[in-house]
Amino acid sequence: MTEFTPWTALAGGAVLGVSALILLLLNGRIAGISGIVSGALDVSEPNAKWRWMFIAGLIIGPLLAAPFGTYLPERIDAGWPLIIAGGLLVGAGTRLGSGCTSGHGICGIGRLSHRSIVATVAFMVVAVVVVFVVRHLSGA
């Protein structure tokens, strides 16, 4: 995962965009992962079936891509405490930002939502600052 491959990135972006468009046109729903997962976990949600199918697709997708030379990382250079803390922070940020990066960044910007554009800019600014601090100031 250290080399940029423009063709697979372009194909992945196209699949994401088309999938988000299909979900919006056929189901009237935004393809934000946090909203899909929270709706799937809500036992009172009458539309949980399509949400579970979407989640299954997220899990099965990498397995289908493997024969084409696209693999997930085999090793993550972080321990479980850091991974769990990161997951909790992402969850808290998702609640605070009223959605996740996929909902705001892919679907919201595509719909020209001002709120999503501001949220995505905030995500990116924070990401740049965190990478700068971790890579250059903390000595990691």
Side-chain angles (χ1 to χ4, degrees), residues 27-92:
N27 215 2
R29 303 291 184 169
I30 303 299
I33 303 306
S34 62
I36 290 172
V37 171
S38 67
L41 297 175
D42 183 3
V43 293
S44 65
E45 174 64 45
N47 297 319
K49 183 178 178 181
W50 75 264
R51 295 170 188 272
W52 283 109
M53 289 173 34
F54 192 97
I55 294 166
L58 292 175
I59 295 167
I60 294 168
L63 301 174
L64 297 176
F68 300 101
T70 303
Y71 300 98
L72 292 175
E74 295 175 6
R75 189 176 132 228
I76 298 175
D77 294 329
W80 281 109
L82 185 61
I83 292 171
I84 291 169
L88 291 172
L89 287 171
V90 167

Side-chain angles (χ1 to χ4, degrees), residues 86-119:
L88 291 172
L89 287 171
V90 167
T94 297
R95 281 285 186 204
L96 185 64
S98 299
C100 60
T101 53
S102 59
H104 285 300
I106 296 170
C107 302
I109 290 177
R111 292 180 301 111
L112 300 178
S113 165
H114 296 314
R115 186 177 78 122
S116 291
I117 292 168
V118 169

